[in-house]
Amino acid sequence: MERETLILLEKFDQLSLTDEERDAFLKFYDKQLEEKKALDAVDTENVERMVHVMPIMTVVREDEAKKIYSREDLQKGAPATSEGYWQVPRLVE
Amino acid sequence: MKLYLTKSDCAMTNAVALDDMFLTKAMPTTAGSKMLDGYMSLFDAEVVTKLTEAGYEIAGKANVGEMAVDLLGETSYEGAVTDDNGTLLSASAEIAKEAKAVLCFDVNGAPRRAAAVSDLIFVKPTYGTVSRFGTVSSACSGETVGVMAKTVADAKAVLTAIAGHDDKDGTSLSDSQCEKILTTEKAVKKVAIAKSITASADDSVKADIEAAKKILSDNGVEVAEIDDEILTKAKAAWNILMSAELCNNVSRFDGVKYGYRSENYTTIEELYTNSRTEAFGELLKTMIIYGSDVLSTDNYMSFYDKAMRIRRVIAEKFAEIFAEYDAVMLPASSKKAFTKADTDANMYLAFDENLYTAPATITGLPAVVGGGVQLIGKAFSDSALMDAVKTIKEGK
């Protein structure tokens, strides 16, 4: 992986690595590429992918409005609130 | 050095502690991450409710590695737990020595490694038989709630309390399927040793496998070595799937609605980026970026799609093995002790060590660790595996 690609991925992931961390990541990535060769050696062209190991169901509930938690409860863990809203920096000038 | 991130004041004999990956109303839940420092959930995880209903007290929240994906908990924002010689200790394992049991979240094999190096029992049940509702999800398709304890009897008693269908978990199996894991339908009579995986471990671990082999043989169990070349590929495949799923699961942590928020921002982009950068540890950042890379347009087919196909190849290999054998025996780790210096020198050690744990993780098969060895069986054979591990433990 090129360093520029890594920096682009950091942006997508909303992270910012130090130069030292980037060096470590690139070494890690090279190792993963090497290990992936073991997977490439297996012919999987006619193998169906396995997303889940067991059957899964979609959890549904009746389409009824329920007030389970109050606004105050939901905002207890919020880093910043104002007048009952989550507070973030101004998005629109 | 903290064993507990939060500790209750209760008698330990009937108390069960929780990895700090389970949401609790009465105690903070951090997932070992600065991102969730002080976070209070509005509800309990389903397993916490079930434990309480069964009469167990909650002993507290055990220190855990960030999002439970590391080697033995060394990436916790509260720091690694070590002894005076710098040997890494698992907080869950240390607590399991005094409590009835500890509920652990097995994402990348850490509880199985911990049980192996601490001479404890760990049961990773068949995927879908214990609710994951109210856990801090890391890698949904393989993560499993399991039980660590001193004895098989204690582990089974606690597993009995938490197993069962849960409407709130889309991967939860029916009650009749969940009940199967608690009853031995067919005893373990024929065991296959994963040859190359076992050979890659150090001599002390191989000695445990040899000792278990002798005990099982003395008890009338047939033991033979098998070619396990395909099973070794679970490691690279799970590293891809785990990172991809983790990348998505932790994208919710952005410093807005809950969790850590940086003080250093002026724009919303800076708020997101600086909050995540300051709160997450280096291993987690590595996995997030690797995960988004394997899901990228350029790499999706060659990495992520390939890993999902490999998962089926491995599942089919296990099915082939279980047509002849009742269990596969292999180590749960390459050696019997790890030091802080080991993980300082290679923070990605868990990515290597899951050579031993990824085969059961990626397939959702039950795995029971005890007596320093790991037995993997077909789905719902959990009870038979526990019986066999009990025989091994008692024979040592």
Side-chain angles (χ1 to χ4, degrees):
Chain A
M1 181 187 285
E2 298 294 327
R3 212 172 180 84
E4 291 69 32
T5 308
L6 172 56
I7 292 167
L8 192 62
L9 284 169
E10 287 172 37
K11 199 174 172 190
F12 288 149
D13 290 319
Q14 287 160 334
L15 291 168
S16 177
L17 301 188
T18 63
D19 279 344
E20 203 177 36
E21 287 171 340
R22 284 178 185 142
D23 291 340
F25 178 89
L26 292 170
K27 271 188 195 167
F28 162 85
Y29 191 81
D30 284 346
K31 191 173 178 207
Q32 299 312 306
L33 280 186
E34 197 56 41
E35 295 195 347
K36 198 182 87 64
K37 286 180 185 168
L39 306 187
D40 295 337
V42 182
D43 181 4
T44 53
E45 198 179 328
N46 297 313
V47 177
E48 198 181 327
R49 54 192 217 164
M50 192 178 199
V51 182
H52 292 284
V53 294
M54 294 284 178
I56 62 162
M57 60 168 189
T58 303
V59 177
V60 293
R61 58 174 169 76
E62 293 302 314
D63 187 17
E64 293 168 359
K66 282 183 190 170
K67 193 173 181 184
I68 304 172
Y69 302 113
S70 67
R71 180 183 289 249
E72 290 71 29
D73 281 342
L74 292 168
Q75 292 190 325
K76 269 180 189 164
T81 57
S82 174
E83 298 174 12
Y85 294 94
W86 277 272
Q87 194 171 28
V88 293
R90 180 185 293 273
L91 297 174
V92 181
E93 291 299 328
Chain B
M1 182 175 97
K2 277 187 175 178
L3 288 183
Y4 286 94
L5 294 178
T6 311
K7 191 174 189 309
S8 305
D9 184 20
C10 65
M12 296 304 277
T13 48
N14 196 42
V16 176
L18 314 166
D19 265 0
D20 202 20
M21 296 295 291
F22 300 95
L23 298 180
T24 42
K25 275 196 293 191
M27 302 174 203
T29 303
T30 69
S33 180
K34 181 178 175 183
M35 180 56 86
L36 286 175
D37 187 15
Y39 173 72
M40 293 299 294
S41 170
L42 295 173
F43 58 92
D44 283 329
E46 179 68 8
V47 288
V48 176
T49 305
K50 280 181 178 271
L51 281 176
T52 309
E53 285 173 357
Y56 290 108
E57 292 195 80
I58 303 301
K61 309 291 284 288
N63 199 351
V64 66
E66 191 171 28
M67 300 293 158
V69 291
D70 63 3
L71 190 75
L72 285 168
E74 71 282 359
T75 61
S76 165
Y77 78 117
E78 287 284 3
V81 179
T82 61
D83 68 11
D84 293 341
N85 300 317
T87 302
L88 276 177
L89 303 174
S90 152
S92 304
E94 294 307 300
I95 293 169
K97 290 173 186 172
E98 58 172 18
K100 175 90 171 174
V102 179
L103 289 198
C104 302
F105 206 41
D106 190 332
V107 182
N108 196 22
R112 276 176 279 161
R113 275 188 290 280
V117 302
S118 308
D119 196 22
L120 292 165
I121 304 294
F122 182 73
V123 181
K124 182 188 96 66
T126 301
Y127 185 87
T129 58
V130 177
S131 172
R132 291 184 301 111
F133 177 78
T135 58
V136 182
S137 263
S138 290
C140 311
S141 75
E143 64 194 19
T144 310
V145 179
V147 185
M148 190 180 291
K150 294 182 284 296
T151 67
V152 169
D154 282 348
K156 194 168 186 178
V158 172
L159 185 61
T160 303
I162 61 171
H165 175 72
D166 178 12
D167 279 338
K168 301 182 289 304
D169 177 357
T171 60
S172 180
L173 299 172
S174 68
D175 272 326
S176 61
Q177 287 173 304
C178 295
E179 282 165 14
K180 282 186 191 175
I181 69 169
L182 303 169
T183 311
T184 301
E185 278 187 16
K186 182 175 182 282
V188 171
K189 288 288 176 196
K190 209 170 170 188
V191 170
I193 297 179
K195 194 176 170 183
S196 73
I197 295 177
T198 301
S200 68
D202 79 6
D203 288 344
S204 62
V205 174
K206 279 188 271 200
D208 278 342
I209 295 281
E210 276 305 309
K213 181 181 171 184
K214 184 173 184 314
I215 293 163
L216 290 172
S217 298
D218 290 347
N219 281 274
V221 177
E222 195 180 324
V223 186
E225 288 186 336
I226 56 158
D227 174 8
D228 59 353
E229 200 255 337
I230 283 292
L231 304 186
T232 64
K233 302 189 188 297
K235 174 185 155 186
W238 180 241
N239 285 341
I240 290 169
L241 297 177
M242 173 175 60
S243 299
E245 293 176 24
L246 180 90
C247 163
N248 279 333
N249 276 322
V250 303
S251 63
R252 77 190 71 177
F253 301 121
D254 58 10
V256 174
K257 288 187 179 164
Y258 56 90
Y260 176 82
R261 179 181 289 192
S262 170
E263 291 179 359
N264 174 29
Y265 66 89
T266 49
T267 66
I268 188 74
E269 286 301 326
E270 284 176 1
L271 186 158
Y272 293 148
T273 301
N274 294 343
S275 297
R276 287 164 62 83
T277 300
E278 291 168 21
F280 290 147
E282 191 173 348
L283 179 67
L284 207 74
K285 289 177 198 167
T286 300
M287 291 177 69
I288 293 168
I289 295 172
Y290 183 50
S292 63
D293 180 66
V294 302
L295 289 171
S296 66
T297 309
D298 287 349
N299 290 334
Y300 182 88
M301 291 307 289
S302 65
F303 281 79
Y304 187 66
D305 184 87
K306 182 79 182 181
M308 284 195 287
R309 290 171 198 260
I310 293 288
R311 167 185 264 162
R312 185 172 299 281
V313 171
I314 294 164
E316 287 174 354
K317 179 64 182 176
F318 269 122
E320 187 188 305
I321 294 169
F322 294 139
E324 190 178 350
Y325 296 91
D326 301 314
V328 173
M329 181 158 66
L330 69 167
S333 68
S334 69
K335 50 187 188 172
K336 294 180 89 168
F338 295 89
T339 63
K340 181 73 170 48
D342 290 336
T343 50
D344 286 347
N346 177 11
M347 79 172 114
Y348 311 118
L349 209 45
F351 273 66
D352 297 331
E353 283 294 317
N354 69 10
L355 170 69
Y356 307 95
T357 54
T361 308
I362 201 169
T363 52
L365 293 172
V368 179
V369 172
V373 306
Q374 175 180 206
L375 291 182
I376 301 173
K378 64 181 175 184
F380 310 113
S381 69
D382 312 46
S383 178
L385 298 178
M386 285 187 259
D387 293 344
V389 163
K390 185 168 181 271
T391 302
I392 293 167
K393 273 286 270 185
E394 287 172 354
K396 287 190 93 175

